[in-house]
């Protein structure tokens, strides 16, 4: 009986020992497999990342690719702009370039000034040439340039007044912009050659109408003598006498104007504001009417 109990206990102990050993073996085996799986997974992950990095390239290469792309895009845009601009210039009608300035004109000429003594004479010479250059009625624009370090530049309004010897009030000069126009108008519709004499004009643009208007009233005291030679004033009086003549009010094309008469009561010099932006000085009423007409045409906005 006791032997049987002993054998039974030994069997239970053996079973227990075997169970512990098997569990330990199973655990070790499972751990080994897990470690291998983890190692393989990590290896696969590293290999995939290496492939992605090779496919994407380095950060430096990315920067170069971006810069290169931007350069190509900029070059393409510039090429399109250049080609379009060239086509526009080729297709641009010649008359469009003639509309530059305060009003449109039909002929143009350029004066290169070297000193103040020759400017008045050159303007007068260009005015006389206008009647031979313009076949029909028209306006000849005159550009007055000076040499600045080898570059030709249009002189400013202040320089124009200085070179022509004008004694206009400083407040008037300051109220004017540097956009001005000097030119001649020829009316060749009459058979009487004497009536086709070119009319000289100066168009000035104002930055402040009130100051310009007040300045012109002040300038009336010396304006006639300042412009005696430039406009070749048709009078028997000399330069000193003509400055004492009084300006009068008249109406031209329903607009107020100021006029100076000679001793024979003939008009010899005009000035008027056709609008709040422009001031016209001329020796011919037809010239004023033509300038007003061209200003109206230029200011008409297309529908």
């Amino acid at each position: 009986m006791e032997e049987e109990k002993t054998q039974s206990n030994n069997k239970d102990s053996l079973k227990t020992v075997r169970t512990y050993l098997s569990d330990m073996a199973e655990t070790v085996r499972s751990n080994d497999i897990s470690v291998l799986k983890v190692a393989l997974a990590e290896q696969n992950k590293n290999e995939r990342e290496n492939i992605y990095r090779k496919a994407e390239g380095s950060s430096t290469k990315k920067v170069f690719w971006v810069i290169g792309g931007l350069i190509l895009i900029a070059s393409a845009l510039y090429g399109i702009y250049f080609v379009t601009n060239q086509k526009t210039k080729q297709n641009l009608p010649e008359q469009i370039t003639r509309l530059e300035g305060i009003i449109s004109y039909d002929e143009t000429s350029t004066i290169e000034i070297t000193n103040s003594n020759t400017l008045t004479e050159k303007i007068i010479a260009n005015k006389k040439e206008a009647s031979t250059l313009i076949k029909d009625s028209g306006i000849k624009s005159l550009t007055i340039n000076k040499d600045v370090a080898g570059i030709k530049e249009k002189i400013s309004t202040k320089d124009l007044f200085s070179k022509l010897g004008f004694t206009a009030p400083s407040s008037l000069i300051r109220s004017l912009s540097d956009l001005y126009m000097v030119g001649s108008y020829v009316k060749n519709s009459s058979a009487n050659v004497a009536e086709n004499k070119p009319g000289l004009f100066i168009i000035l643009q104002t930055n402040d109408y009130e100051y310009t208007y007040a300045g012109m009233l002040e300038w009336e005291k010396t304006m006639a003598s300042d412009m005696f030679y430039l406009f070749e004033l048709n009078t028997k009086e000399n330069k000193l006498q003509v400055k004492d003549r009084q300006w009068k009010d008249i109406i031209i094309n329903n607009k107020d104007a100021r006029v100076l008469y000679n001793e024979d009561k003939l008009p010899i010099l005009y000035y008027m504001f056709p609008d709040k932006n422009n001031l016209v000085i001329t020796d011919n009423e037809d010239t004023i009417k033509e300038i007003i007409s061209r200003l109206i045409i230029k200011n008409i906005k297309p529908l």
Side-chain angles (χ1 to χ4, degrees):
M1 234 7 226
E2 290 179 358
E3 289 179 0
E4 290 178 359
K5 290 180 179 180
T6 303
Q7 290 178 357
S8 177
N9 290 333
N10 288 336
K11 287 180 180 180
D12 292 339
S13 299
L14 183 59
K15 287 180 180 179
T16 303
V17 171
R18 286 177 179 175
T19 300
Y20 289 158
L21 289 175
S22 63
D23 289 343
M24 291 177 63
E26 182 66 22
T27 300
V28 170
R29 187 173 65 83
S30 299
N31 287 338
D32 288 342
I33 291 173
S34 298
V35 170
L36 288 173
K37 286 183 178 179
V38 171
L40 289 173
E42 186 66 25
Q43 183 179 357
N44 291 335
K45 179 183 175 183
N46 291 335
E47 288 177 355
R48 286 196 301 270
E49 289 180 351
N50 289 333
I51 292 172
Y52 292 149
R53 280 195 292 269
K54 289 180 180 179
E56 292 178 355
S58 64
S59 59
T60 304
K61 289 182 179 179
K62 290 180 183 178
V63 172
F64 281 121
W65 275 107
V66 172
I67 294 175
L70 292 175
I71 292 174
L72 287 175
I73 293 172
S75 300
L77 291 175
Y78 176 77
I80 293 171
Y81 168 78
F82 180 79
V83 172
T84 304
N85 194 41
Q86 289 298 316
K87 287 183 178 180
T88 302
K89 288 182 178 180
Q90 291 175 1
N91 297 328
L92 189 66
E94 182 181 357
Q95 65 180 29
I96 291 180
T97 60
R98 293 183 178 275
L99 294 177
E100 295 177 354
I102 299 176
I103 59 173
S104 62
Y105 52 88
D106 307 289
E107 298 287 344
T108 183
S109 182
T110 301
I111 290 179
E112 304 290 343
I113 61 172
T114 54
N115 56 69
S116 58
N117 295 329
T118 61
L119 181 56
T120 298
E121 287 76 8
K122 287 182 177 180
I123 292 176
I124 294 172
N126 269 269
K127 180 187 74 172
K128 292 178 179 179
E129 290 175 0
S131 58
T132 60
L133 291 175
I134 301 176
K135 297 179 181 179
D136 299 317
S137 297
I139 284 180
K140 178 184 178 184
S141 175
L142 183 61
T143 301
I144 306 172
N145 292 335
K146 64 178 179 180
D147 189 291
V148 179
I151 300 175
K152 305 300 181 183
E153 293 184 357
K154 184 178 179 180
I155 66 173
S156 66
T157 301
K158 182 179 179 180
D159 286 341
L160 177 67
F161 276 51
S162 176
K163 296 294 184 182
L164 292 175
F166 292 169
T167 59
S170 58
S171 60
L172 169 62
I173 298 174
R174 288 194 301 269
S175 71
L176 300 172
S177 74
D178 280 329
L179 181 58
Y180 65 88
M181 184 175 180
V182 178
S184 303
Y185 171 64
V186 180
K187 185 178 180 181
N188 287 331
S189 60
S190 174
N192 189 344
V193 179
E195 294 181 4
N196 294 337
K197 180 182 177 181
L200 180 66
F201 67 83
I202 300 174
I203 305 176
L204 303 167
Q205 285 211 327
T206 174
N207 292 322
D208 191 313
Y209 171 77
E210 301 297 337
Y211 275 96
T212 303
Y213 183 81
M216 288 301 296
L217 294 177
E218 179 67 22
W219 193 17
E220 285 184 359
K221 300 174 183 177
T222 60
M223 188 175 173
S225 59
D226 287 349
M227 299 185 175
F228 189 83
Y229 298 114
L230 177 64
F231 282 90
E232 300 179 295
L233 298 185
N234 182 20
T235 177
K236 300 181 180 69
E237 297 172 319
N238 59 35
K239 183 177 180 179
L240 295 176
Q241 291 173 322
V242 75
K243 71 176 183 178
D244 295 327
R245 289 202 160 270
Q246 300 297 312
W247 291 79
K248 306 294 183 181
D249 291 323
I250 62 169
I251 302 295
I252 301 176
N253 282 14
N254 295 321
K255 295 181 181 293
D256 294 327
R258 297 281 283 173
V259 61
L260 188 70
Y261 294 96
N262 64 10
E263 63 276 10
D264 295 324
K265 296 183 180 181
L266 296 174
I268 55 176
L269 195 60
Y270 302 81
Y271 79 83
M272 76 173 303
F273 290 89
D275 52 49
K276 296 288 185 179
N277 300 317
N278 296 289
L279 165 65
V280 179
I281 302 172
T282 184
D283 55 359
N284 186 288
E285 184 173 336
D286 288 330
T287 302
I288 290 180
K289 293 178 179 179
E290 181 67 19
I291 291 173
I292 291 174
S293 176
R294 297 198 182 206
L295 281 172
I296 293 173
I297 293 173
K298 184 175 181 180
N299 291 330
I300 293 177
K301 296 182 180 180
L303 297 177

